[in-house]
Every structure is written in C-alpha cells, then in structure tokens.
Amino acid sequence: MRLTHLFTKTSKTAPGDEVARNAQLLIQAGFIHKEMAGVYDYLPLGKRVLDNIIQVIREEMDGIGGNEISLTALQQKDPWVTSGRWDDQVMDVWFKTKLANGTELGLAPTHEEPITRLMKSHIHSYKDLPVYPYQFQIKFRNELRSKSGLMRGREFWMKDLYSFSRTQAEHDAFYEAVSQAYLRIYDRLGLGELTYKTFASGGSFAQFSHEFQIVSPVGEDKIFVHEPTRMAINEEVYTDEVLAQLGVKREDLVEKTAVEAGNIFTLGTRYSEPLGLMFTDEAGKSQPVIMGSYGIGPSRLMGLIAEQFADEKGLVWPAVVAPALVYLVLIGEGEVQAEADSLYEQLQAKGIEVLYDDRDERPGQKFADSELMGIPYRVTVSARTQASGQYEFYVRESGETSPLTRAELLAKLV
Ligand code: ATP
Ligand code: MG
C-alpha cells in the first residue's frame, strides 16, 4: 500500500482521553478510532492487524475440524429465558433492544443459546455427531468499567467455537485438542513464553474450566504460576484442597497478574437439556448432546500484543500480525523514485506486504512514522543509497541498521 493512498494520519501526541497504553498508541498511529469508552473503529492498518490475528486462529480451528459460520448478533429472548440467562441479575452485561412492535431482543454477549437451538435442525442421530461450528463475531457487553482500551471493549471481537459430542470421552478428547490448538495460536502470535494454561472455576458439569492467561503488568486477573509444569491456578479456585488435588505446593507457586486471552469450558448438558437438543444413540435411545464452548478474544489479543511489545518510540509488531512486513522510505525524486517504485513492485510481486512511504514529507517524519507504526523492517532508498548501490535496512525490534543490495534484501525477506 502506498501511504499517499492511506487516509489515516499519525499524530504527534497521544490522545488525552485514553488511559490504556495500547489504545493510546493505536490511536496515535492511526490504527483505531475511539467512538466512546470501550468502543473503537478499526482503520485500515488496524483492520489488517485484526485480520492477521483472526487468520492464525482460523487456521488452527480449521485444523481441528472446525466449521466456520456467522451467526446474527440480534438475539431472540425465548431461548435465553429457557436457559435462565435473560435475567439481568444472572447475565449482568446485557444490551437489550426492541423491535418496532415492542418485541424484546438482545445484542449478542455470547451465543450458547441461539446455537444450541439452531443445531436442533441439523443434529438428530449419533451419525450427525461430533460437530464443531465456530465464528468470528462482534459481541456486545455492557461492561461496568472499560478503561483497558481494546482489552475490555463494550463491543469486541470474539472467536467462539461450540462442540457437540455424543459421549464424555469424545468431548474430553476434543477439549484437549482445542487446548493444544490454543497453545499453538499464542506461540504463533509471539506470546508463547508468557502464556499459562490456568485452572479456573468450571460450572456445574466440570470441576474446572481452563483459561489461557498471558502474564502482563496491566492484567486484571491474578494467577499462581507453577513454572516447571507451565500451569497456573486462578485465584478464584486457589484453595488448599485444589492445590493438593493438582499435586502442587504453595511455596512452588509464584503470583502474577495476567490477561485472560482465551477460555475453554465443558458445558455438559447445561444448554442441550433445557433447549431440547437431543440425538438418537446407536441403541435407538434419545440422549442430550454433550457440549463445550471455547472463546478467544482477537481484539483483546491485539491490544495485548500492542501493549506488550511497544517501546518508547511506538508499536513493535511481531511479523505474523504486522500490517506490513516492510516500511519503504523514499527520500528524493527522479531516478531515486524510479528505484523505490521498482523495489516496491518487486517486493509486492513476491508476496511481501509493503507500506510505501511515497509522501512529500520530511525524512524525519517518515522515520518517526515507521517507528510509531511498528513495522518490522524499514528499507530506505535515497540519493546516498543509489550512489553506494546498497539500501539502508533497519530492524524495528533490535534497532540495528545495515547496508544491503537488492539481492541481499530479497534473500532476507523472501
Ligand atoms: P473477563 O473475565 O476478562 O471479563 P470473560 O470470562 O467474561 O472475560 P469469556 O466470556 O470467556 O470472557 O469470553 C471469551 C474471550 O473473549 C475471553 O477469553 C477474552 O479473550 C474475550 N473477551 C471477553 N470479554 C471481553 C471484552 N470485554 N473485551 C475484549 N475481549 C473480551
Ligand atoms: Mg467478562
């Protein structure tokens, strides 16, 4: 993308009305726009980052047999009344609205009820199971406090997968497969070393659920980490009884603050029973389907990655999620410009995403913007690099600069 085609602008200073560092930087760099507390628009560069995160999650969910769908965010009241979750005391984050005729509707905070009802049209016999539909969708939650930027939105993106299984053993095997897929996702996003699979409260069908907690100074959760096994225990289940059961000692655990980036949950027949999602087993007997739900927050991850890797100059994106791999700075006109144009085209043709700073701006402004936007590599083409036959190659994360010929540059990037 040429920066002369990009409508967003960077700004010199961080916004005054934003306390979270992730949102400050993302707004300053022109990745997102703040509508109100907890509600953000994704601008072209921000949309690319979000899409890159979503793509990593999609590949891993497809890899374990997921079927991607897209459910409506407008929800009918009745399945929620049936499950007992329409009540504002039970589900305290509801946004509700009404049709013109007065019929009440909810704006999706999550999708267990509608998807359980939907699956009644597709699941009848043991032959129809197991199945794993999932989606990327905007969720609405009227969060009491929303001061963590993208990490706690009132409108945010979620990947939610629901599993429908015949037996507990079939459910357990899939639950483990999701757990492994989640660890691969955090690894691929550059967060592997900070991620702990964490025991958390489980509801009525399992003693525990599992959260995927990412250690961060701005985390809202408190966990107790057991480094040798890379597991952790959420403070909500941190009791002597649980420690004994998990075979760990208090003195071997280290308290940390962390961000919940994902959650996997055994639902059992919590929704299938009241909503009547049944199947006929091999003996011809009607049974309730065994369910699980599996969430990840792509927008929370975007805020977390922004916050985690940033330095005093701005954002620092890992290559997998960066809006482009290369920031190409043009300093000059005429032949220099022709050289930069041809490099831009060759890199694009090789499938490398490039942000081409072809603007009529001072070099200092171009360099500062490349730092603020956090693009992994910067390549400068100027009269000086023309004369030497070597571009200036700069690595955002390490700050190292080296001269490279075009062939050396291509060898490095392709
Ligand atoms: P929290 O305890 O932080 O409120 P939760 O338990 O309500 O999270 P889930 O209902 O399990 O979260 O949602 C699944 C995933 O969606 C979470 O693991 C998180 O990554 C993401 N998520 C939840 N709430 C928000 C939010 N308000 N803004 C952004 N992402 C969110
Ligand atoms: Mg919540």
PDB file of all heavy atoms in Angstrom, residues 109-110 141 143 146 149-159 186 211-212 220-221 260-263 294-301, ligand 1:
ATOM      1  N   PRO A 109     -24.140 -11.180  23.701  1.00  0.00           N
ATOM      2  CA  PRO A 109     -22.959 -11.147  24.561  1.00  0.00           C
ATOM      3  C   PRO A 109     -22.135 -12.427  24.373  1.00  0.00           C
ATOM      4  O   PRO A 109     -20.952 -12.488  24.699  1.00  0.00           O
ATOM      5  CB  PRO A 109     -23.542 -11.101  25.974  1.00  0.00           C
ATOM      6  CG  PRO A 109     -24.898 -11.744  25.860  1.00  0.00           C
ATOM      7  CD  PRO A 109     -25.359 -11.600  24.445  1.00  0.00           C
ATOM      8  N   THR A 110     -22.769 -13.490  23.853  1.00  0.00           N
ATOM      9  CA  THR A 110     -22.193 -14.805  23.602  1.00  0.00           C
ATOM     10  C   THR A 110     -23.296 -15.584  22.863  1.00  0.00           C
ATOM     11  O   THR A 110     -24.373 -15.029  22.618  1.00  0.00           O
ATOM     12  CB  THR A 110     -21.759 -15.490  24.926  1.00  0.00           C
ATOM     13  OG1 THR A 110     -21.274 -16.805  24.642  1.00  0.00           O
ATOM     14  CG2 THR A 110     -22.914 -15.624  25.914  1.00  0.00           C
ATOM     15  N   ARG A 141     -21.131  -6.302  25.241  1.00  0.00           N
ATOM     16  CA  ARG A 141     -21.249  -6.492  26.691  1.00  0.00           C
ATOM     17  C   ARG A 141     -21.178  -5.134  27.363  1.00  0.00           C
ATOM     18  O   ARG A 141     -20.240  -4.376  27.134  1.00  0.00           O
ATOM     19  CB  ARG A 141     -20.133  -7.406  27.236  1.00  0.00           C
ATOM     20  CG  ARG A 141     -20.274  -8.833  26.755  1.00  0.00           C
ATOM     21  CD  ARG A 141     -19.298  -9.760  27.449  1.00  0.00           C
ATOM     22  NE  ARG A 141     -19.399 -11.087  26.864  1.00  0.00           N
ATOM     23  CZ  ARG A 141     -18.663 -12.132  27.225  1.00  0.00           C
ATOM     24  NH1 ARG A 141     -17.767 -12.001  28.193  1.00  0.00           N
ATOM     25  NH2 ARG A 141     -18.818 -13.303  26.630  1.00  0.00           N
ATOM     26  N   GLU A 143     -19.994  -3.707  29.863  1.00  0.00           N
ATOM     27  CA  GLU A 143     -19.000  -3.832  30.928  1.00  0.00           C
ATOM     28  C   GLU A 143     -19.074  -2.595  31.828  1.00  0.00           C
ATOM     29  O   GLU A 143     -19.225  -1.479  31.343  1.00  0.00           O
ATOM     30  CB  GLU A 143     -17.581  -3.944  30.342  1.00  0.00           C
ATOM     31  CG  GLU A 143     -17.365  -5.096  29.356  1.00  0.00           C
ATOM     32  CD  GLU A 143     -17.009  -6.410  30.033  1.00  0.00           C
ATOM     33  OE1 GLU A 143     -16.976  -6.457  31.278  1.00  0.00           O
ATOM     34  OE2 GLU A 143     -16.781  -7.400  29.305  1.00  0.00           O
ATOM     35  N   SER A 146     -14.551   0.196  31.420  1.00  0.00           N
ATOM     36  CA  SER A 146     -13.884  -0.123  30.173  1.00  0.00           C
ATOM     37  C   SER A 146     -12.736   0.858  29.987  1.00  0.00           C
ATOM     38  O   SER A 146     -12.842   1.831  29.263  1.00  0.00           O
ATOM     39  CB  SER A 146     -14.897  -0.049  29.029  1.00  0.00           C
ATOM     40  OG  SER A 146     -14.384  -0.710  27.912  1.00  0.00           O
ATOM     41  N   GLY A 149      -8.628  -0.068  27.037  1.00  0.00           N
ATOM     42  CA  GLY A 149      -8.515   0.017  25.578  1.00  0.00           C
ATOM     43  C   GLY A 149      -9.147  -1.189  24.921  1.00  0.00           C
ATOM     44  O   GLY A 149     -10.233  -1.633  25.320  1.00  0.00           O
ATOM     45  N   LEU A 150      -8.463  -1.770  23.930  1.00  0.00           N
ATOM     46  CA  LEU A 150      -9.028  -2.917  23.214  1.00  0.00           C
ATOM     47  C   LEU A 150      -9.163  -4.143  24.100  1.00  0.00           C
ATOM     48  O   LEU A 150      -9.840  -5.099  23.733  1.00  0.00           O
ATOM     49  CB  LEU A 150      -8.134  -3.280  22.020  1.00  0.00           C
ATOM     50  CG  LEU A 150      -8.130  -2.336  20.824  1.00  0.00           C
ATOM     51  CD1 LEU A 150      -7.402  -3.003  19.661  1.00  0.00           C
ATOM     52  CD2 LEU A 150      -9.542  -1.953  20.408  1.00  0.00           C
ATOM     53  N   MET A 151      -8.518  -4.133  25.252  1.00  0.00           N
ATOM     54  CA  MET A 151      -8.543  -5.348  26.081  1.00  0.00           C
ATOM     55  C   MET A 151      -9.876  -5.550  26.813  1.00  0.00           C
ATOM     56  O   MET A 151     -10.165  -6.654  27.252  1.00  0.00           O
ATOM     57  CB  MET A 151      -7.380  -5.350  27.049  1.00  0.00           C
ATOM     58  CG  MET A 151      -6.062  -5.424  26.290  1.00  0.00           C
ATOM     59  SD  MET A 151      -4.754  -6.102  27.261  1.00  0.00           S
ATOM     60  CE  MET A 151      -4.150  -4.653  28.023  1.00  0.00           C
ATOM     61  N   ARG A 152     -10.662  -4.487  26.984  1.00  0.00           N
ATOM     62  CA  ARG A 152     -12.003  -4.683  27.553  1.00  0.00           C
ATOM     63  C   ARG A 152     -12.965  -3.743  26.843  1.00  0.00           C
ATOM     64  O   ARG A 152     -13.219  -2.634  27.274  1.00  0.00           O
ATOM     65  CB  ARG A 152     -12.033  -4.470  29.072  1.00  0.00           C
ATOM     66  CG  ARG A 152     -13.417  -4.810  29.660  1.00  0.00           C
ATOM     67  CD  ARG A 152     -13.443  -4.872  31.168  1.00  0.00           C
ATOM     68  NE  ARG A 152     -12.617  -5.939  31.706  1.00  0.00           N
ATOM     69  CZ  ARG A 152     -12.946  -7.237  31.701  1.00  0.00           C
ATOM     70  NH1 ARG A 152     -14.090  -7.640  31.210  1.00  0.00           N
ATOM     71  NH2 ARG A 152     -12.113  -8.132  32.202  1.00  0.00           N
ATOM     72  N   GLY A 153     -13.487  -4.228  25.726  1.00  0.00           N
ATOM     73  CA  GLY A 153     -14.426  -3.427  24.959  1.00  0.00           C
ATOM     74  C   GLY A 153     -15.861  -3.668  25.399  1.00  0.00           C
ATOM     75  O   GLY A 153     -16.173  -4.691  26.005  1.00  0.00           O
ATOM     76  N   ARG A 154     -16.719  -2.706  25.084  1.00  0.00           N
ATOM     77  CA  ARG A 154     -18.159  -2.938  25.255  1.00  0.00           C
ATOM     78  C   ARG A 154     -18.704  -3.568  23.976  1.00  0.00           C
ATOM     79  O   ARG A 154     -19.767  -4.166  23.969  1.00  0.00           O
ATOM     80  CB  ARG A 154     -18.864  -1.627  25.603  1.00  0.00           C
ATOM     81  CG  ARG A 154     -18.399  -1.087  26.948  1.00  0.00           C
ATOM     82  CD  ARG A 154     -19.343  -0.026  27.514  1.00  0.00           C
ATOM     83  NE  ARG A 154     -19.081   0.161  28.930  1.00  0.00           N
ATOM     84  CZ  ARG A 154     -18.434   1.204  29.459  1.00  0.00           C
ATOM     85  NH1 ARG A 154     -17.987   2.165  28.685  1.00  0.00           N
ATOM     86  NH2 ARG A 154     -18.245   1.278  30.755  1.00  0.00           N
ATOM     87  N   GLU A 155     -17.965  -3.379  22.898  1.00  0.00           N
ATOM     88  CA  GLU A 155     -18.192  -4.103  21.649  1.00  0.00           C
ATOM     89  C   GLU A 155     -16.829  -4.652  21.271  1.00  0.00           C
ATOM     90  O   GLU A 155     -15.870  -3.894  21.207  1.00  0.00           O
ATOM     91  CB  GLU A 155     -18.702  -3.134  20.575  1.00  0.00           C
ATOM     92  CG  GLU A 155     -18.925  -3.787  19.239  1.00  0.00           C
ATOM     93  CD  GLU A 155     -19.229  -2.768  18.130  1.00  0.00           C
ATOM     94  OE1 GLU A 155     -20.039  -1.855  18.339  1.00  0.00           O
ATOM     95  OE2 GLU A 155     -18.617  -2.907  17.069  1.00  0.00           O
ATOM     96  N   PHE A 156     -16.714  -5.962  21.071  1.00  0.00           N
ATOM     97  CA  PHE A 156     -15.396  -6.532  20.793  1.00  0.00           C
ATOM     98  C   PHE A 156     -15.529  -7.779  19.926  1.00  0.00           C
ATOM     99  O   PHE A 156     -16.621  -8.323  19.768  1.00  0.00           O
ATOM    100  CB  PHE A 156     -14.658  -6.873  22.102  1.00  0.00           C
ATOM    101  CG  PHE A 156     -15.355  -7.915  22.950  1.00  0.00           C
ATOM    102  CD1 PHE A 156     -15.012  -9.268  22.854  1.00  0.00           C
ATOM    103  CD2 PHE A 156     -16.357  -7.557  23.839  1.00  0.00           C
ATOM    104  CE1 PHE A 156     -15.652 -10.230  23.626  1.00  0.00           C
ATOM    105  CE2 PHE A 156     -17.005  -8.515  24.622  1.00  0.00           C
ATOM    106  CZ  PHE A 156     -16.653  -9.849  24.512  1.00  0.00           C
ATOM    107  N   TRP A 157     -14.400  -8.201  19.368  1.00  0.00           N
ATOM    108  CA  TRP A 157     -14.394  -9.401  18.527  1.00  0.00           C
ATOM    109  C   TRP A 157     -14.133 -10.631  19.367  1.00  0.00           C
ATOM    110  O   TRP A 157     -13.282 -10.617  20.245  1.00  0.00           O
ATOM    111  CB  TRP A 157     -13.316  -9.288  17.441  1.00  0.00           C
ATOM    112  CG  TRP A 157     -13.766  -8.390  16.347  1.00  0.00           C
ATOM    113  CD1 TRP A 157     -13.609  -7.031  16.293  1.00  0.00           C
ATOM    114  CD2 TRP A 157     -14.495  -8.765  15.175  1.00  0.00           C
ATOM    115  NE1 TRP A 157     -14.204  -6.553  15.145  1.00  0.00           N
ATOM    116  CE2 TRP A 157     -14.739  -7.592  14.448  1.00  0.00           C
ATOM    117  CE3 TRP A 157     -14.959  -9.995  14.666  1.00  0.00           C
ATOM    118  CZ2 TRP A 157     -15.436  -7.602  13.232  1.00  0.00           C
ATOM    119  CZ3 TRP A 157     -15.638  -9.996  13.469  1.00  0.00           C
ATOM    120  CH2 TRP A 157     -15.884  -8.812  12.764  1.00  0.00           C
ATOM    121  N   MET A 158     -14.871 -11.680  19.078  1.00  0.00           N
ATOM    122  CA  MET A 158     -14.622 -12.958  19.749  1.00  0.00           C
ATOM    123  C   MET A 158     -14.604 -14.070  18.712  1.00  0.00           C
ATOM    124  O   MET A 158     -15.352 -14.025  17.736  1.00  0.00           O
ATOM    125  CB  MET A 158     -15.704 -13.268  20.789  1.00  0.00           C
ATOM    126  CG  MET A 158     -15.294 -14.397  21.753  1.00  0.00           C
ATOM    127  SD  MET A 158     -16.670 -15.117  22.655  1.00  0.00           S
ATOM    128  CE  MET A 158     -16.994 -13.868  23.872  1.00  0.00           C
ATOM    129  N   LYS A 159     -13.728 -15.041  18.941  1.00  0.00           N
ATOM    130  CA  LYS A 159     -13.839 -16.319  18.238  1.00  0.00           C
ATOM    131  C   LYS A 159     -14.546 -17.217  19.224  1.00  0.00           C
ATOM    132  O   LYS A 159     -14.068 -17.406  20.347  1.00  0.00           O
ATOM    133  CB  LYS A 159     -12.459 -16.881  17.899  1.00  0.00           C
ATOM    134  CG  LYS A 159     -12.484 -18.181  17.087  1.00  0.00           C
ATOM    135  CD  LYS A 159     -12.817 -19.446  17.860  1.00  0.00           C
ATOM    136  CE  LYS A 159     -11.837 -19.740  18.961  1.00  0.00           C
ATOM    137  NZ  LYS A 159     -12.250 -20.919  19.791  1.00  0.00           N
ATOM    138  N   TYR A 186      -1.121 -18.989  20.557  1.00  0.00           N
ATOM    139  CA  TYR A 186      -0.361 -17.996  21.335  1.00  0.00           C
ATOM    140  C   TYR A 186       1.120 -18.037  20.961  1.00  0.00           C
ATOM    141  O   TYR A 186       1.783 -17.007  20.903  1.00  0.00           O
ATOM    142  CB  TYR A 186      -0.577 -18.179  22.845  1.00  0.00           C
ATOM    143  CG  TYR A 186      -2.035 -18.122  23.214  1.00  0.00           C
ATOM    144  CD1 TYR A 186      -2.683 -19.201  23.801  1.00  0.00           C
ATOM    145  CD2 TYR A 186      -2.801 -16.999  22.902  1.00  0.00           C
ATOM    146  CE1 TYR A 186      -4.042 -19.163  24.086  1.00  0.00           C
ATOM    147  CE2 TYR A 186      -4.154 -16.954  23.179  1.00  0.00           C
ATOM    148  CZ  TYR A 186      -4.770 -18.043  23.773  1.00  0.00           C
ATOM    149  OH  TYR A 186      -6.103 -18.006  24.042  1.00  0.00           O
ATOM    150  N   GLU A 211      -8.470 -21.418  31.539  1.00  0.00           N
ATOM    151  CA  GLU A 211      -8.233 -20.116  30.909  1.00  0.00           C
ATOM    152  C   GLU A 211      -6.814 -20.132  30.356  1.00  0.00           C
ATOM    153  O   GLU A 211      -5.951 -20.838  30.871  1.00  0.00           O
ATOM    154  CB  GLU A 211      -8.338 -18.999  31.942  1.00  0.00           C
ATOM    155  CG  GLU A 211      -9.729 -18.844  32.519  1.00  0.00           C
ATOM    156  CD  GLU A 211      -9.772 -17.925  33.717  1.00  0.00           C
ATOM    157  OE1 GLU A 211      -8.702 -17.643  34.323  1.00  0.00           O
ATOM    158  OE2 GLU A 211     -10.878 -17.490  34.073  1.00  0.00           O
ATOM    159  N   PHE A 212      -6.603 -19.332  29.317  1.00  0.00           N
ATOM    160  CA  PHE A 212      -5.253 -19.150  28.799  1.00  0.00           C
ATOM    161  C   PHE A 212      -4.867 -17.740  29.182  1.00  0.00           C
ATOM    162  O   PHE A 212      -5.409 -16.770  28.658  1.00  0.00           O
ATOM    163  CB  PHE A 212      -5.226 -19.446  27.299  1.00  0.00           C
ATOM    164  CG  PHE A 212      -5.476 -20.918  27.062  1.00  0.00           C
ATOM    165  CD1 PHE A 212      -6.755 -21.432  27.086  1.00  0.00           C
ATOM    166  CD2 PHE A 212      -4.409 -21.789  26.918  1.00  0.00           C
ATOM    167  CE1 PHE A 212      -6.984 -22.798  26.944  1.00  0.00           C
ATOM    168  CE2 PHE A 212      -4.620 -23.152  26.771  1.00  0.00           C
ATOM    169  CZ  PHE A 212      -5.905 -23.661  26.791  1.00  0.00           C
ATOM    170  N   GLU A 220      -5.825  -7.885  34.534  1.00  0.00           N
ATOM    171  CA  GLU A 220      -6.843  -7.662  35.560  1.00  0.00           C
ATOM    172  C   GLU A 220      -7.038  -8.908  36.420  1.00  0.00           C
ATOM    173  O   GLU A 220      -7.811  -8.902  37.366  1.00  0.00           O
ATOM    174  CB  GLU A 220      -8.177  -7.268  34.904  1.00  0.00           C
ATOM    175  CG  GLU A 220      -8.105  -5.923  34.191  1.00  0.00           C
ATOM    176  CD  GLU A 220      -9.428  -5.526  33.540  1.00  0.00           C
ATOM    177  OE1 GLU A 220     -10.453  -6.186  33.749  1.00  0.00           O
ATOM    178  OE2 GLU A 220      -9.408  -4.529  32.786  1.00  0.00           O
ATOM    179  N   ASP A 221      -6.375 -10.031  36.051  1.00  0.00           N
ATOM    180  CA  ASP A 221      -6.549 -11.284  36.786  1.00  0.00           C
ATOM    181  C   ASP A 221      -5.292 -11.600  37.596  1.00  0.00           C
ATOM    182  O   ASP A 221      -4.189 -11.214  37.225  1.00  0.00           O
ATOM    183  CB  ASP A 221      -6.808 -12.447  35.818  1.00  0.00           C
ATOM    184  CG  ASP A 221      -8.184 -12.340  35.145  1.00  0.00           C
ATOM    185  OD1 ASP A 221      -8.853 -11.309  35.337  1.00  0.00           O
ATOM    186  OD2 ASP A 221      -8.559 -13.282  34.433  1.00  0.00           O
ATOM    187  N   GLU A 260      -6.685 -12.606  30.625  1.00  0.00           N
ATOM    188  CA  GLU A 260      -7.329 -13.823  30.111  1.00  0.00           C
ATOM    189  C   GLU A 260      -7.531 -13.656  28.605  1.00  0.00           C
ATOM    190  O   GLU A 260      -8.314 -12.839  28.154  1.00  0.00           O
ATOM    191  CB  GLU A 260      -8.683 -14.032  30.794  1.00  0.00           C
ATOM    192  CG  GLU A 260      -9.349 -15.321  30.336  1.00  0.00           C
ATOM    193  CD  GLU A 260     -10.867 -15.301  30.469  1.00  0.00           C
ATOM    194  OE1 GLU A 260     -11.370 -15.009  31.572  1.00  0.00           O
ATOM    195  OE2 GLU A 260     -11.531 -15.579  29.458  1.00  0.00           O
ATOM    196  N   ALA A 261      -6.789 -14.457  27.827  1.00  0.00           N
ATOM    197  CA  ALA A 261      -6.863 -14.319  26.367  1.00  0.00           C
ATOM    198  C   ALA A 261      -7.720 -15.402  25.740  1.00  0.00           C
ATOM    199  O   ALA A 261      -8.031 -15.350  24.555  1.00  0.00           O
ATOM    200  CB  ALA A 261      -5.468 -14.364  25.771  1.00  0.00           C
ATOM    201  N   GLY A 262      -8.101 -16.396  26.531  1.00  0.00           N
ATOM    202  CA  GLY A 262      -8.941 -17.460  25.989  1.00  0.00           C
ATOM    203  C   GLY A 262      -9.494 -18.284  27.136  1.00  0.00           C
ATOM    204  O   GLY A 262      -8.984 -18.230  28.260  1.00  0.00           O
ATOM    205  N   ASN A 263     -10.548 -19.031  26.827  1.00  0.00           N
ATOM    206  CA  ASN A 263     -11.266 -19.753  27.868  1.00  0.00           C
ATOM    207  C   ASN A 263     -11.914 -20.967  27.241  1.00  0.00           C
ATOM    208  O   ASN A 263     -12.551 -20.851  26.193  1.00  0.00           O
ATOM    209  CB  ASN A 263     -12.334 -18.791  28.415  1.00  0.00           C
ATOM    210  CG  ASN A 263     -12.970 -19.274  29.693  1.00  0.00           C
ATOM    211  OD1 ASN A 263     -12.859 -20.437  30.047  1.00  0.00           O
ATOM    212  ND2 ASN A 263     -13.647 -18.380  30.384  1.00  0.00           N
ATOM    213  N   TYR A 294     -15.708 -22.526  23.625  1.00  0.00           N
ATOM    214  CA  TYR A 294     -14.279 -22.241  23.540  1.00  0.00           C
ATOM    215  C   TYR A 294     -14.100 -20.833  22.970  1.00  0.00           C
ATOM    216  O   TYR A 294     -14.356 -20.614  21.786  1.00  0.00           O
ATOM    217  CB  TYR A 294     -13.601 -23.261  22.622  1.00  0.00           C
ATOM    218  CG  TYR A 294     -13.984 -24.707  22.948  1.00  0.00           C
ATOM    219  CD1 TYR A 294     -15.185 -25.250  22.459  1.00  0.00           C
ATOM    220  CD2 TYR A 294     -13.180 -25.495  23.765  1.00  0.00           C
ATOM    221  CE1 TYR A 294     -15.554 -26.548  22.774  1.00  0.00           C
ATOM    222  CE2 TYR A 294     -13.550 -26.800  24.085  1.00  0.00           C
ATOM    223  CZ  TYR A 294     -14.741 -27.320  23.590  1.00  0.00           C
ATOM    224  OH  TYR A 294     -15.117 -28.601  23.904  1.00  0.00           O
ATOM    225  N   GLY A 295     -13.703 -19.883  23.812  1.00  0.00           N
ATOM    226  CA  GLY A 295     -13.596 -18.488  23.360  1.00  0.00           C
ATOM    227  C   GLY A 295     -12.158 -17.995  23.287  1.00  0.00           C
ATOM    228  O   GLY A 295     -11.289 -18.456  24.034  1.00  0.00           O
ATOM    229  N   ILE A 296     -11.943 -17.081  22.355  1.00  0.00           N
ATOM    230  CA  ILE A 296     -10.676 -16.328  22.305  1.00  0.00           C
ATOM    231  C   ILE A 296     -11.056 -14.906  21.889  1.00  0.00           C
ATOM    232  O   ILE A 296     -11.965 -14.731  21.073  1.00  0.00           O
ATOM    233  CB  ILE A 296      -9.684 -16.889  21.254  1.00  0.00           C
ATOM    234  CG1 ILE A 296      -9.040 -18.186  21.732  1.00  0.00           C
ATOM    235  CG2 ILE A 296      -8.573 -15.875  20.944  1.00  0.00           C
ATOM    236  CD1 ILE A 296      -7.832 -18.624  20.902  1.00  0.00           C
ATOM    237  N   GLY A 297     -10.359 -13.916  22.419  1.00  0.00           N
ATOM    238  CA  GLY A 297     -10.666 -12.537  22.062  1.00  0.00           C
ATOM    239  C   GLY A 297      -9.625 -11.941  21.120  1.00  0.00           C
ATOM    240  O   GLY A 297      -8.597 -11.458  21.579  1.00  0.00           O
ATOM    241  N   PRO A 298      -9.886 -11.937  19.795  1.00  0.00           N
ATOM    242  CA  PRO A 298      -8.908 -11.346  18.863  1.00  0.00           C
ATOM    243  C   PRO A 298      -8.626  -9.869  19.144  1.00  0.00           C
ATOM    244  O   PRO A 298      -7.477  -9.422  19.027  1.00  0.00           O
ATOM    245  CB  PRO A 298      -9.564 -11.514  17.484  1.00  0.00           C
ATOM    246  CG  PRO A 298     -10.529 -12.637  17.645  1.00  0.00           C
ATOM    247  CD  PRO A 298     -11.012 -12.557  19.062  1.00  0.00           C
ATOM    248  N   SER A 299      -9.654  -9.107  19.533  1.00  0.00           N
ATOM    249  CA  SER A 299      -9.372  -7.683  19.787  1.00  0.00           C
ATOM    250  C   SER A 299      -8.615  -7.505  21.096  1.00  0.00           C
ATOM    251  O   SER A 299      -7.727  -6.658  21.199  1.00  0.00           O
ATOM    252  CB  SER A 299     -10.641  -6.828  19.734  1.00  0.00           C
ATOM    253  OG  SER A 299     -11.742  -7.442  20.314  1.00  0.00           O
ATOM    254  N   ARG A 300      -8.923  -8.349  22.097  1.00  0.00           N
ATOM    255  CA  ARG A 300      -8.133  -8.282  23.334  1.00  0.00           C
ATOM    256  C   ARG A 300      -6.673  -8.650  23.034  1.00  0.00           C
ATOM    257  O   ARG A 300      -5.748  -8.016  23.544  1.00  0.00           O
ATOM    258  CB  ARG A 300      -8.721  -9.211  24.399  1.00  0.00           C
ATOM    259  CG  ARG A 300      -7.945  -9.178  25.701  1.00  0.00           C
ATOM    260  CD  ARG A 300      -8.604  -9.982  26.798  1.00  0.00           C
ATOM    261  NE  ARG A 300      -9.816  -9.346  27.319  1.00  0.00           N
ATOM    262  CZ  ARG A 300     -10.523  -9.807  28.347  1.00  0.00           C
ATOM    263  NH1 ARG A 300     -10.150 -10.914  28.963  1.00  0.00           N
ATOM    264  NH2 ARG A 300     -11.609  -9.176  28.751  1.00  0.00           N
ATOM    265  N   LEU A 301      -6.471  -9.655  22.187  1.00  0.00           N
ATOM    266  CA  LEU A 301      -5.105 -10.046  21.815  1.00  0.00           C
ATOM    267  C   LEU A 301      -4.383  -8.916  21.089  1.00  0.00           C
ATOM    268  O   LEU A 301      -3.198  -8.678  21.312  1.00  0.00           O
ATOM    269  CB  LEU A 301      -5.133 -11.294  20.922  1.00  0.00           C
ATOM    270  CG  LEU A 301      -5.266 -12.620  21.663  1.00  0.00           C
ATOM    271  CD1 LEU A 301      -5.560 -13.746  20.671  1.00  0.00           C
ATOM    272  CD2 LEU A 301      -3.996 -12.935  22.460  1.00  0.00           C
TER     273      LEU A 301
HETATM  274  P1  ATP B   1     -13.305 -11.435  31.620  1.00  0.00           P
HETATM  275  O1  ATP B   1     -13.266 -12.254  32.872  1.00  0.00           O
HETATM  276  O2  ATP B   1     -11.993 -10.806  31.283  1.00  0.00           O
HETATM  277  O3  ATP B   1     -14.461 -10.466  31.582  1.00  0.00           O
HETATM  278  P2  ATP B   1     -14.868 -13.444  30.365  1.00  0.00           P
HETATM  279  O4  ATP B   1     -14.660 -14.603  31.255  1.00  0.00           O
HETATM  280  O5  ATP B   1     -16.093 -12.631  30.517  1.00  0.00           O
HETATM  281  O6  ATP B   1     -13.574 -12.475  30.433  1.00  0.00           O
HETATM  282  P3  ATP B   1     -15.494 -15.059  28.073  1.00  0.00           P
HETATM  283  O7  ATP B   1     -16.929 -14.863  28.242  1.00  0.00           O
HETATM  284  O8  ATP B   1     -14.893 -16.383  28.382  1.00  0.00           O
HETATM  285  O9  ATP B   1     -14.688 -13.910  28.850  1.00  0.00           O
HETATM  286  O10 ATP B   1     -15.092 -14.624  26.596  1.00  0.00           O
HETATM  287  C1  ATP B   1     -14.150 -15.333  25.784  1.00  0.00           C
HETATM  288  C2  ATP B   1     -12.962 -14.448  25.443  1.00  0.00           C
HETATM  289  O11 ATP B   1     -13.400 -13.207  24.899  1.00  0.00           O
HETATM  290  C3  ATP B   1     -12.115 -14.078  26.639  1.00  0.00           C
HETATM  291  O12 ATP B   1     -11.172 -15.073  26.925  1.00  0.00           O
HETATM  292  C4  ATP B   1     -11.468 -12.792  26.181  1.00  0.00           C
HETATM  293  O13 ATP B   1     -10.310 -13.091  25.404  1.00  0.00           O
HETATM  294  C5  ATP B   1     -12.506 -12.167  25.281  1.00  0.00           C
HETATM  295  N1  ATP B   1     -13.249 -11.105  25.979  1.00  0.00           N
HETATM  296  C6  ATP B   1     -14.175 -11.246  26.960  1.00  0.00           C
HETATM  297  N2  ATP B   1     -14.674 -10.054  27.327  1.00  0.00           N
HETATM  298  C7  ATP B   1     -14.037  -9.124  26.545  1.00  0.00           C
HETATM  299  C8  ATP B   1     -14.110  -7.710  26.439  1.00  0.00           C
HETATM  300  N3  ATP B   1     -14.963  -7.011  27.196  1.00  0.00           N
HETATM  301  N4  ATP B   1     -13.323  -7.089  25.523  1.00  0.00           N
HETATM  302  C9  ATP B   1     -12.476  -7.788  24.732  1.00  0.00           C
HETATM  303  N5  ATP B   1     -12.357  -9.129  24.794  1.00  0.00           N
HETATM  304  C10 ATP B   1     -13.121  -9.794  25.685  1.00  0.00           C
END
